[in-house]
Amino acid sequence: MSALLNTPQREAIRYLDGPCLVLAGAGSGKTRVITHKIAYLVEQCGMNPANIAAITFTNKAAKEMQERVAGLLGGRTGKGLTVCTFHALGVRIVRQEAKACGLKPQFSILDASDTVQIVADVSGNSDKARAKALQWQISAWKNALVGPDEAAKLADNELASAAAKIYADYERTLRAYQAVDFDDLIGLPVHLFEHHPEVRERWQNRLRYLLVDEYQDTNRAQYRLLRELTGVRGAFTAVGDDDQAIYAWRGADVENLRQLSVDWPKLRVIKLEQNYRSTTRILHAANTVIGFNEKLFEKKLWSEHGAGEEIVVWSAGDPEAEAESVAMKLSGHRFERRGKYADYAILYRGNHQARLIEQQLRNHKIPYVMSGGQSFFERAEIKDVIAYLRLIANPDDDLAFIRAITTPRRGIGPATIEALGRYAGERHASLFAAALEEGVVEHLTARQLEQVREFCHFINRLIYRAPREPAAQLLADLMGATHYEAWLFNSCEPREAETKWANVSDFVGWLGRKGEEDGKDLLELTQTIALISMLDKEDEDFDGVQLATLHASKGLEFKHVFLVGVEEGLLPHQSSIDEDKIEEERRLMYVGITRAQRSLQISWCERRKAGKEIRTCEPSRFIEEMGSEGVRMLGGKKAEPVSREEGRAKLANLRAMLGGG
């Protein structure tokens, strides 16, 4: 095992005398350190896997880590080992300590669209964009552990003042639904541990060693959770890279890196600077760019992969020309190397840049996959099914009740819901509970009441069966009883209905299988759904070019990378220039450069449409900051048409040479 590790990696794995911060540069083998350290704790130190937790930021990272640990431990399983995201750990804590949190164990976890809906309701404003902005502000406060009273004092603009006014109502509504939002999954455990020492001690004894991945992305609440769980012993290893901190807009706080040495003065800092991914030229450009940022910790990446190809920087007349050039250059590059499409990635600062690139890839018959598109769970048909599951797990969940009772339509409309809602409000009861009370008779017509109660009895039968029968059976009966498929075909175009029904069948089948494999009933599955990024549906074997925003590309690597739209106003983004937040944008550039293993091409546009205007663009300052060593600048304004023709000619020659059409 240790033969595969370099000296600092070995030191990081074996250091157990206190808290440890591993500063792991891009491509320096941080996952290897975490997985080997888990194996070391279990095999060499005799630690029970049930006392170890590794915390990641994505389900994908957790899954990969789990597989790698299983491989290292061989036949000896890491039974009881916790490898999960911060939020999944939060769910586990809140579920087991539900009573102390003022919740019942079957609470609902609301996603972003549910919470925006609640904000719209309590603010009395149905404008979705406004509700989103208010919810974002409340979420930022919750991430920083700021409660409603403090928020009112901190509010320093119109939006924040409006958010502070509804913050307490928003919280009350969540609790009335026996529901939590994503931020609560961290905030509630922190609050619990700070106010209940006996609960904190129980969890400290259960999780005796913590490993945290992507530590630079933690927000204030996550840091406090780590601090509460590890206590004075500080039995943890945090792995992170201050140069890849690109999530400040989401509440991540690089200060957490600095705070570690304040809270634990004996903190051991170990740097991983050997990069196993990229060539020397690519690393030189990355080191040079990031050198313009103020440093918390000095480090310089190096590699044994040799100098490699030059980095090529070129300009295009406009985004259309850039997209066409990228498609042609990529095609030619792949052809010369006889490589796979999956070896290539095209990265950009904003989602809006993808459309033209997609068009050109389709024109050139180049297969591609998009990263970070609409999540499977965001689709209306999946949310319909989930509404039923949430209601079975927690009948007090009013949002789920409204969606389930009106989809498919059962002749229950807004008037019925409103009348029921008014009565439920008077009784301080959930809609479901109110519908079954005696007094409701005076508020609904006989016909309305019959339909509502029929629905409630149907749900009650499923609630009875949920803990007693396999999830797959229950789901099949649910889909049959609601006639969901027939409703789709009645209310959508045939092709749309087919796609939607295929998605539902996929989802229901997958849940059923998951229930069987993990030995979970429908109630247990429902609580984990909110945390799963669906099915990890990316087909590993698909040979396609990867399109991704720079944010979505973090953690990934590709042989060849095209970084497009590298202009002032786009990267760095105009808002960051205006607010003097260039450092975070520079880290984004660093992340983009360090995704490349073998070759990197960077492009920018001379002109770009801004509304009806056409504006002249300047190359990004980051291009100059990379320095000129190992960088080849192509063409000025006149070279573009020639290079396009050259590209076509080169491709034609190659095809002829290889006898391809």
Side-chain angles (χ1 to χ4, degrees):
M1 158 175 129
S2 53
L4 303 169
L5 302 163
N6 62 38
T7 309
Q9 285 175 334
R10 259 199 299 275
E11 185 192 350
I13 286 160
R14 292 182 178 165
Y15 184 75
L16 292 173
D17 293 341
C20 177
L21 171 63
V22 180
L23 283 173
S28 63
K30 67 184 178 67
T31 310
R32 188 187 301 175
V33 165
I34 295 173
T35 50
H36 277 75
K37 186 149 194 169
I38 294 170
Y40 180 74
L41 287 167
V42 173
E43 294 191 316
Q44 309 295 314
C45 310
M47 209 166 176
N48 182 345
N51 295 140
I52 303 170
I55 306 174
T56 65
F57 267 81
T58 64
N59 295 299
K60 202 173 166 196
K63 202 169 139 197
E64 184 192 338
M65 207 171 276
Q66 217 143 12
E67 285 164 4
R68 288 214 211 168
V69 170
L72 287 175
L73 292 173
R76 299 190 44 226
T77 58
K79 198 162 171 47
L81 174 72
T82 299
V83 183
C84 64
T85 61
F86 267 105
H87 290 96
L89 179 63
V91 171
R92 188 178 304 179
I93 296 169
V94 177
R95 192 183 288 149
Q96 289 181 19
E97 311 293 346
K99 202 167 171 204
C101 296
L103 290 164
K104 56 183 191 185
Q106 289 303 339
F107 57 88
S108 297
I109 300 165
L110 303 186
D111 66 10
S113 60
D114 292 325
T115 53
V116 168
Q117 184 59 54
I118 291 177
V119 167
D121 292 346
V122 297
S123 66
N125 185 336
S126 59
D127 174 1
K128 266 285 175 342
R130 171 75 173 176
K132 236 183 189 148
L134 292 170
Q135 199 277 328
W136 187 259
Q137 176 59 68
I138 291 173
S139 173
W141 280 326
K142 291 177 90 162
N143 282 328
L145 298 172
V146 170
D149 296 342
E150 202 186 331
K153 293 180 197 137
L154 288 174
D156 57 357
N157 59 46
E158 187 276 326
L159 181 82
S161 301
K165 280 195 186 81
I166 60 162
Y167 188 174
D169 283 344
Y170 169 79
E171 292 287 88
R172 268 196 295 277
T173 308
L174 280 183
R175 295 303 167 264
Y177 289 174
Q178 282 289 312
V180 299
D181 61 19
F182 260 48
D183 306 315
D184 288 329
L185 295 176
I186 312 295
L188 285 173
V190 170
H191 189 266
L192 189 67
F193 292 158
E194 286 180 350
H195 294 89
H196 298 272
E198 72 292 351
V199 178
R200 181 178 64 221
E201 230 159 90
R202 188 162 65 238
W203 281 90
Q204 284 179 353
N205 285 329
R206 188 174 303 175
L207 301 177
R208 289 167 172 254
Y209 203 92
L210 273 119
L211 302 103
V212 183
D213 190 15
E214 301 286 11
Y215 177 75
Q216 76 283 347
D217 294 339
T218 52
N219 60 35
R220 186 59 50 85
Q222 287 161 334
Y223 178 70
R224 286 268 279 279
L225 181 60
L226 171 73
R227 205 173 68 188
E228 291 297 321
L229 276 172
T230 53
V232 283
R233 287 178 315 148
F236 69 85
T237 297
V239 182
D241 181 5
D242 47 332
D243 292 335
Q244 292 185 69
I246 56 174
Y247 284 117
W249 54 279
R250 226 169 49 182
D253 193 348
V254 185
E255 277 303 309
N256 289 348
L257 280 163
R258 200 173 315 215
Q259 195 58 38
L260 273 182
S261 46
V262 176
D263 287 342
W264 287 280
K266 291 199 165 70
L267 179 75
R268 167 74 68 98
V269 179
I270 298 169
K271 296 178 193 177
L272 305 185
E273 295 169 298
Q274 181 174 359
N275 171 289
Y276 292 92
R277 176 185 299 160
S278 310
T279 62
T280 303
R281 278 177 170 148
I282 289 168
L283 291 181
H284 177 77
N287 283 333
T288 314
V289 165
I290 206 66
F292 283 83
N293 272 6
E294 260 185 66
K295 289 296 223 200
L296 264 181
F297 303 94
E298 278 301 329
K299 67 176 181 319
K300 254 202 170 23
L301 295 180
W302 59 276
S303 148
E304 290 176 341
H305 282 317
E309 296 177 35
E310 282 182 308
I311 294 173
V312 180
V313 179
W314 48 274
S315 66
D318 56 29
E320 284 81 0
E322 180 183 48
E324 191 181 356
S325 271
V326 166
M328 285 170 32
K329 286 174 192 283
L330 191 151
S331 229
H333 195 274
R334 174 184 160 269
F335 211 73
E336 280 174 34
R337 287 162 182 71
R338 313 229 174 135
K340 300 200 306 252
Y341 285 116
D343 293 340
Y344 292 82
I346 303 170
L347 308 180
Y348 35 84
R349 174 67 177 83
N351 272 314
H352 63 277
Q353 292 167 265
R355 192 178 56 82
L356 290 172
I357 294 166
E358 283 191 83
Q359 269 173 6
Q360 286 298 339
L361 293 180
R362 285 199 296 268
N363 289 351
H364 288 79
K365 304 207 169 18
I366 297 172
Y368 65 89
V369 280
M370 292 282 288
S371 180
Q374 188 198 28
S375 137
F376 192 82
F377 281 124
E378 288 302 309
R379 294 172 193 194
E381 63 274 21
I382 301 302
K383 298 194 89 152
D384 290 342
V385 180
I386 291 173
Y388 279 93
L389 304 186
R390 274 174 36 189
L391 193 57
I392 293 166
N394 171 15
D396 291 333
D397 186 336
D398 281 359
L399 288 174
F401 179 89
I402 293 167
R403 185 160 192 145
I405 201 168
T406 54
T407 320
R409 294 232 171 271
R410 299 178 168 72
I412 295 169
T416 311
I417 300 285
E418 209 171 310
L420 180 59
R422 264 199 309 275
Y423 174 70
E426 286 165 20
R427 302 283 301 146
H428 299 295
S430 66
L431 294 171
F432 191 92
L436 297 171
E437 283 190 9
E438 281 302 308
V440 77
V441 176
E442 290 159 29
H443 296 258
L444 298 182
T445 66
R447 173 108 182 92
Q448 286 174 327
L449 188 59
E450 186 192 347
Q451 287 168 322
V452 169
R453 285 200 167 159
E454 192 183 316
F455 173 76
C456 292
H457 294 321
F458 165 61
I459 295 295
N460 266 331
R461 287 195 295 278
L462 292 171
I463 290 171
Y464 176 79
R465 292 172 57 191
R468 295 170 173 81
E469 295 179 28
Q473 181 60 52
L474 219 64
L475 287 161
D477 291 354
L478 171 66
M479 297 326 292
T482 54
H483 306 297
Y484 189 80
E485 183 182 8
W487 176 75
L488 277 179
F489 280 91
N490 284 335
S491 54
C492 306
E493 296 287 314
R495 284 195 54 184
E496 191 191 352
E498 273 168 31
T499 308
K500 289 186 166 209
W501 180 244
N503 285 337
V504 168
S505 306
D506 242 18
F507 176 57
V508 167
W510 169 76
L511 261 185
R513 284 193 305 280
K514 200 165 171 52
E516 222 166 283
E517 287 163 16
D518 301 353
K520 286 185 170 168
D521 64 37
L522 198 57
L523 301 176
E524 292 165 313
L525 285 173
T526 300
Q527 271 193 333
T528 45
I529 286 174
L531 302 176
I532 298 165
S533 52
M534 174 62 185
L535 303 182
D536 293 320
K537 268 191 97 93
E538 284 137 44
D539 179 0
E540 301 295 328
D541 304 325
F542 178 67
D543 184 23
V545 175
Q546 176 85 49
L547 266 57
T549 62
L550 287 165
H551 283 101
S553 74
K554 202 172 101 182
L556 306 175
E557 52 183 48
F558 307 92
K559 276 192 180 152
H560 311 289
V561 169
F562 285 82
L563 194 45
V564 301
V566 187
E567 301 136 37
E568 286 293 302
L570 203 48
L571 181 68
H573 198 273
Q574 192 57 48
S575 59
S576 304
I577 299 173
D578 297 342
E579 293 167 28
D580 203 18
K581 289 184 175 164
I582 295 296
E583 294 215 336
E584 176 128 347
E585 294 289 304
R586 192 175 281 117
R587 293 195 284 264
L588 261 183
M589 179 74 175
Y590 175 83
V591 165
I593 295 171
T594 53
R595 297 312 92 198
Q597 297 170 323
R598 296 288 162 266
S599 79
L600 174 63
Q601 296 208 28
I602 294 173
S603 57
W604 60 280
C605 298
E606 293 159 12
R607 294 176 301 283
R608 203 175 271 278
K609 267 203 198 93
K612 292 193 172 154
E613 306 279 299
I614 288 189
R615 60 179 181 84
T616 308
C617 306
E618 294 292 319
S620 166
R621 67 192 75 187
F622 302 146
I623 291 177
E624 197 178 323
E625 288 176 0
M626 293 191 315
S628 54
E629 193 185 315
V631 178
R632 181 154 51 105
M633 300 280 183
L634 281 190
K637 309 210 174 205
K638 294 196 184 82
E640 179 52 33
V642 183
S643 66
R644 199 182 291 185
E645 294 313 314
E646 271 176 6
R648 288 205 175 110
K650 198 169 178 184
L651 205 52
N653 286 341
L654 272 165
R655 287 202 169 128
M657 191 172 80
L658 294 168

